[in-house]
């Protein structure tokens, strides 16, 4: 709380301190600070309007601000938009954007984005597409809150709209070269030229290479490097004064090693300590680090070859100790073509945007992030690959009626997308040595002998089988079956998925209208509505090589009705982890889901004086449902009929041959009802905007990793007190009557943004967001009232992950002339101050990130008319250490340890620019 108060104080100070332009939604003209003219034109409502006339919450950044901030992709927008947070995890294709604390955890491509990303009017299938190089940008707009009318599905939290710089009829070009630490080399250049009086062309290119931030102490080299390029070509044809076409083609490629992780220590997260129960849900116990040898699993790792330095190094030294020979190599190709037509009929204007895009990504990994070979994806086309092929068509017709009283807009949208996910996730060459140790630790930790057959020394085996003097068979008549099961488990090495494919098609069409009624000169009523229809089909072609699973299942199943059921179940579960079994190969899995949704908005805005706009709004947003593209979900949850509280999920034990049901892969669409009031004041040298909002999410889609598999569940709440049943370990407790289901997530808070141009060449701005984005109490699963998954029992009443309650941003830009030389200086700073939050979607202790501050800076000198410039810059100037996302280290329990994807360290360099 004390840190939040300090940040709040800093935020108030930032209003009067250096900053950059924010809340300049969709700027198409940005006045020079020296003119003291703050009139900005926006297109956030589908037509050109002055910012002070637009009754929505928008943050936007123009080209100069983006260049000064060093923004090459959407992650750098974190510094400029306080309500936005962009992060990436185990694969940059999984980049996740959050607005007002709401976003999608991106590790499962079956989930759509809560924050939509549009580039030049074309919807990108996942927000990770914005982590590519963007090239020259005209502006970036961040629209906050659901945008379900003009932008449609998958904008339930908001959207990021990126507009690249288009062709003009002037002959001009530019070039820039950057060199920085980590041997960063970035080259950028472009040429704009007229072909005729009506046709102009533009070509842009970017090349970037950089060493990785992590040092691989086992295999050599670095990880989290960058090696990428972008090419983009455009044609503009102004066929007549009223008809124009803009054709855009782009191609980008990445060939990089990503994404390494380090163990979480108490220095990163004070909650990463052991407790007596070895239970991660019981909270930190203050009994020392989870990585000490007092945690029973740590001696097992060390005995199997884990480098002890991985457990004791300062994580922010960024040394990693993966399995020898394992790789993080990945490739991404992203290309597309779009055609935009704008036709002014005189009484109306028609816009058409036609686009086709393909996005391919594969990413190898040492998936357990340890030095023991437990789980991996080998490099290649099948390495967690995802391929999107998307065609889209949008039509908008806009005009006026009744002598300008009605400003109307109607439109239609169609998209057809094929998504193919291919995977080769396999157990590693030491899984068979590691997994039996998990069982032996439960039987008798003193017998664990990592490296020996089934984690048992000859003496340990003799003690269990009763051949040691003075002993009896430890498991009675079942002893041969149990020991045989351990031997089977010890053979589960280098088997698993071998090109399994998930093939999903999504077909979507929508009709929409957005109308502004000018009731009086000062009072407007905006009414918008959208109908969306979406059909998704799924086909799965399993190819799994784990033949040990059905053998183990056959051996242990007779014991499931005996007192040894827990031990037998553990052997099956570890052998068949995540439904990895050849039994899948005989299955024919197909399914289809269809959904229809109405979304829209109503806004009442009033201007009591010319410089002040007041508004109140209601909007409804929608995020499509879909399929969990993970075989582990195929069997759903299954409990013994005698287990009336659901303490033990037997689905993996029973197996997919019996329990497979495609319906288990489905999750429902997410909806949001949002209420907002706001005010915007625009003076000659000063602007300020404020908004207070409340957003209620039903069927909130949550994706979380529990250390073994990814869980996807809808989240709602119950209007009746569940008496703590949503916080217990039972999978069958805490159900709710369907008529009593209420929203499960509430996001509410205030946002303030201000800009100040006190003198020529000097611009300040600041942003302040206080938001309480939290789960309700008495949580349940789907809106039919099913109980919450026990793995999520820490969620009720707590903040969402990666949802700080307080964020303050500020920036300054000063470009003074240097005497009468024609030269000018550049002094630029921006900062983001964030309160603490939990980075894990299951909110386990030990995944917390404390409050932190990140500062970026740039100084330079520029030639006459900005024809050239020399700039020195630094990102994360004070080398602030913080975590993007912490997660359960796969299989490393008890007690569960955590790993983390760290944020970038300080980078710095020099940039030379020229234009002509």
């Amino acid at each position: 709380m004390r840190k939040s108060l300090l940040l709040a104080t800093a935020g108030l100070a930032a209003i009067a301190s250096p900053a950059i332009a924010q809340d300049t939604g969709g700027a198409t003209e940005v006045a020079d600070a020296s003119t003291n003219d703050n009139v900005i034109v926006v297109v956030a409502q589908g037509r050109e309007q002055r910012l002070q006339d637009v009754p929505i919450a928008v943050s936007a950044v123009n080209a100069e601000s983006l260049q000064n901030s060093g923004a090459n992709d959407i992650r750098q927008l974190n510094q400029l938009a306080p309500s936005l947070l962009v992060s990436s995890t185990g694969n940059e294709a999984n980049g996740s954007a959050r607005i007002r604390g709401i976003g999608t955890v991106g590790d499962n491509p079956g989930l759509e984005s809560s924050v939509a990303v549009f580039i030049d009017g074309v919807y990108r299938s996942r927000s990770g597409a914005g982590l590519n190089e963007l090239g020259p940008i005209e502006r970036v707009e961040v629209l906050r809150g659901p945008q379900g009318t003009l932008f449609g599905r998958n904008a339930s939290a908001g959207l990021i709209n990126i507009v690249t710089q288009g062709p003009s009829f002037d002959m001009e070009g530019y070039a820039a070269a950057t060199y920085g630490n980590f041997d960063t080399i970035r080259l950028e250049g472009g040429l704009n030229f007229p072909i005729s009086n009506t046709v102009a062309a533009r070509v842009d290119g970017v090349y970037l290479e950089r060493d990785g931030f992590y040092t691989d102490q086992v295999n050599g080299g670095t990880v989290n490097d960058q090696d990428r390029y972008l090419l983009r070509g455009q044609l503009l044809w102004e066929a007549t004064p009223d008809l124009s076409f803009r054709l855009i083609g782009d191609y980008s490629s990445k060939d990089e090693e990503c994404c390494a992780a380090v163990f979480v220590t108490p220095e990163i997260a004070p909650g990463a300590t052991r407790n007596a129960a070895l239970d991660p849900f019981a909270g930190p116990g203050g009994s020392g680090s989870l990585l000490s040898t007092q945690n029973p699993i740590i001696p097992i790792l060390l005995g199997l070859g884990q480098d002890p330095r991985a457990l004791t190094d300062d994580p922010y030294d960024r040394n990693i100790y993966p399995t020898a020979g394992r790789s993080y190599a990945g490739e991404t190709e992203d290309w597309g073509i779009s055609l935009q037509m704008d036709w002014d009929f005189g009484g109306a204007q028609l816009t058409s945007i036609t686009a086709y895009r393909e996005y391919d990504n594969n990413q190898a990994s040492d998936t357990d992030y340890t030095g023991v070979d437990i789980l991996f994806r080998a490099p290649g086309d099948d390495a967690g690959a995802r391929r999107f092929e998307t065609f889209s068509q949008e039509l908008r017709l806009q005009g006026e009626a009744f002598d300008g009283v009605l400003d109307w807009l109607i439109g239609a949208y169609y998209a057809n997308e094929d998504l193919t996910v291919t995977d080769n996730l396999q157990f590693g060459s030491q899984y068979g040595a590691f997994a039996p140790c998990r069982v032996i630790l439960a039987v008798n930790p003193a017998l664990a002998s990592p490296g020996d057959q089934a984690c048992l020394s000859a003496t340990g085996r003799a003690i269990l089988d009763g051949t040691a003097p003075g002993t009896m068979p430890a498991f009675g008549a079942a002893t041969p079956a149990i020991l045989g099961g351990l031997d089977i488990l010890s053979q589960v090495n280098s088997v698993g998925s071998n090109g399994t494919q998930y093939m999903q098609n999504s077909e979507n069409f929508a009709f929409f209208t957005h109308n502004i009624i000018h009731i009086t000169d000062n009072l407007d009523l905006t009414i918008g509505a959208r109908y969306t229809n979406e059909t998704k089909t799924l086909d799965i072609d399993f190819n799994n090589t784990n033949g040990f699973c059905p053998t183990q299942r056959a051996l242990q199943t007779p014991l499931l009705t005996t007192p040894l059921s827990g031990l037998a179940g553990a052997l099956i579960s570890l052998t068949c982890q995540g439904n990895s079994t050849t039994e899948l190969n005989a299955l024919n899995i197909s399914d289809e889901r269809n959904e229809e949704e109405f979304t829209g908005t109503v806004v009442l805005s009033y201007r009591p004086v010319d410089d002040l706009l007041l508004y109140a709004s209601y909007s409804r947003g929608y995020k499509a449902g879909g399929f969990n593209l993970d075989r582990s979900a195929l069997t759903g949850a299954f409990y013994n009929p005698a287990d009336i509280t659901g303490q033990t999920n037997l689905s993996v034990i029973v197996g997919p041959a019996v329990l497979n049901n495609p319906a288990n892969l489905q999750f429902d669409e997410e909806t949001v009802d949002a209420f907002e009031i706001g005010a915007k004041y625009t003076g000659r040298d000063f602007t300020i905007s404020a908004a207070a909002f409340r957003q209620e999410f039903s069927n909130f889609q949550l994706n979380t990793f529990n250390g073994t598999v990814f869980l996807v569940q809808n989240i709602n709440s119950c209007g009746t007190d569940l008496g703590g049943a949503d916080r217990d370990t039972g999978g069958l407790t805490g159900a709710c009557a369907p008529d009593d289901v209420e929203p499960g997530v509430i996001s509410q808070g205030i946002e303030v943004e201000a800009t100040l141009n006190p003198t020529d060449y000097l611009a300040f701005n600041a942003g302040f967001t206080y938001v309480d984005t939290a789960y309700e109490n008495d949580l349940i699963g789907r809106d039919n009232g099913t109980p919450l998954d026990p793995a999520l029992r820490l969620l009720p009443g707590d903040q969402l992950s990666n949802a700080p309650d307080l964020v303050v941003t500020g920036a300054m830009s000063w470009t003074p002339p240097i005497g009468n030389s024609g030269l000018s200086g550049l002094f630029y700073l921006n900062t983001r101050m964030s309160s603490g939050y939990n980075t894990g979607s299951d909110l386990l202790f030990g995944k917390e990130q404390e409050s932190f501050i990140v500062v970026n800076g740039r100084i330079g000198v520029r030639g006459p008319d900005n024809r050239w410039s020399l700039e020195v810059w630094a990102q994360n100037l004070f080398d602030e250490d913080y975590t993007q996302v912490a997660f359960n280290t796969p299989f490393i329990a008890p007690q569960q340890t955590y790993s983390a994807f760290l944020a970038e360290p300080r980078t710095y360099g020099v940039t030379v620019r020229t234009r002509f």
Side-chain angles (χ1 to χ4, degrees), residues 542-725:
F542 288 112
N543 187 7
N544 194 285
T545 61
N546 184 10
F548 300 104
C549 174
T551 302
Q552 185 78 281
R553 198 188 312 280
L555 181 62
Q556 302 301 324
T557 295
L559 301 181
L560 296 176
T561 57
T562 73
L564 293 171
S565 60
L567 189 55
L571 287 168
I572 297 175
S573 295
L574 287 169
T575 306
C576 309
Q577 194 67 256
N579 285 326
S580 176
T581 172
T582 53
E583 297 162 301
L584 293 169
N585 300 340
L587 302 181
N588 183 17
I589 302 297
S590 297
D591 203 4
E592 178 176 303
R593 60 174 287 118
N594 179 266
E595 54 197 37
E596 298 177 283
E597 194 68 37
F598 286 94
T599 55
T601 187
V602 178
V603 185
L604 187 65
S605 58
Y606 176 62
R607 185 176 295 282
V609 295
D610 288 346
D611 295 334
L612 178 63
L613 174 69
L614 307 175
Y615 67 90
S617 69
Y618 163 79
S619 57
R620 181 173 176 82
Y622 154 67
K623 177 183 171 186
F627 298 98
N628 180 2
L629 304 183
D630 188 322
R631 67 182 184 228
S632 62
L634 186 61
T635 50
F638 178 79
Y639 301 96
N640 189 312
D643 183 5
I644 61 174
T645 61
Q647 295 298 319
T648 304
N649 184 355
L650 304 177
S651 61
V652 174
I653 297 172
V654 177
V658 175
L659 296 179
N660 77 87
N661 183 355
N664 292 327
L665 300 176
Q666 292 200 26
F667 53 89
D668 296 329
E669 61 269 28
E670 173 184 299
T671 59
V672 55
D673 294 295
F675 309 86
E676 183 172 316
I677 58 173
K680 297 184 178 184
Y681 172 79
T682 302
R684 177 176 174 82
D685 303 315
F686 176 71
T687 69
I688 187 170
S689 65
F693 58 90
R694 178 180 171 88
Q695 303 175 151
E696 301 175 348
F697 289 83
S698 298
N699 271 334
F700 180 77
Q701 296 170 4
L702 180 67
N703 181 33
T704 189
F705 181 64
N706 68 0
T708 303
V709 297
F710 283 96
L711 302 174
V712 177
Q713 182 165 36
N714 292 106
I715 304 292
N716 293 280
S717 70
C718 187
T720 300
D721 188 345
L722 297 178

Side-chain angles (χ1 to χ4, degrees), residues 206-223:
V206 181
Y207 172 76
L208 171 64
E209 68 174 40
R210 189 206 67 207
D211 290 344
F213 297 133
Y214 294 87
T215 301
D216 187 335
Q217 299 289 354
V218 176
N219 301 296
T222 63
V223 180

Side-chain angles (χ1 to χ4, degrees), residues 24-175:
T24 54
T28 57
E29 296 177 11
V30 180
D32 191 302
S34 65
T35 68
N36 291 321
D37 183 3
N38 285 314
V39 176
I40 298 172
V41 178
V42 301
V43 292
Q45 293 194 121
R47 67 273 277 173
E48 291 190 354
Q49 299 171 277
R50 296 189 311 163
L51 171 64
Q52 55 266 48
D53 295 334
V54 179
I56 60 175
V58 185
S59 296
V61 188
N62 62 22
E64 183 177 5
S65 298
L66 288 165
Q67 178 175 293
N68 289 340
S69 69
N72 299 326
D73 61 43
I74 63 174
R75 273 174 297 201
Q76 280 80 23
L77 293 176
N78 291 342
Q79 292 294 107
L80 304 174
S83 294
L84 175 69
L85 177 63
V86 181
S87 60
S88 58
T89 54
N91 183 338
E92 287 212 340
N94 296 333
S96 178
R98 295 170 173 83
I99 292 178
R100 294 173 172 173
I102 299 295
T104 299
V105 178
D107 298 280
N108 191 321
L111 278 79
E112 313 274 2
S113 301
S114 297
V115 177
V117 174
F118 285 79
I119 301 179
D120 291 324
V122 179
Y123 173 72
R124 297 301 177 94
S125 298
R126 298 296 183 270
S127 54
L131 299 182
N132 291 338
E133 286 291 318
L134 297 176
I137 299 298
E138 178 181 316
R139 67 186 185 272
V140 177
E141 308 166 10
V142 180
L143 280 66
R144 308 190 295 273
Q147 305 295 323
T149 303
L150 289 172
F151 296 95
R153 67 191 181 108
N154 307 333
S156 56
L159 69 89
I160 301 171
N161 186 34
I162 300 168
V163 180
T164 66
Q165 291 191 3
S168 68
F169 288 90
D170 296 320
M171 182 69 182
E172 56 187 7
Y174 71 97

Side-chain angles (χ1 to χ4, degrees), residues 241-264:
D242 299 320
L243 177 63
S244 66
F245 297 87
R246 183 185 180 189
L247 179 67
I248 306 173
D250 66 89
Y251 176 86
S252 66
S253 173
K254 296 194 292 188
D255 186 359
E256 303 171 347
E257 294 203 25
C258 188
C259 300
V262 296
F263 279 114
V264 173

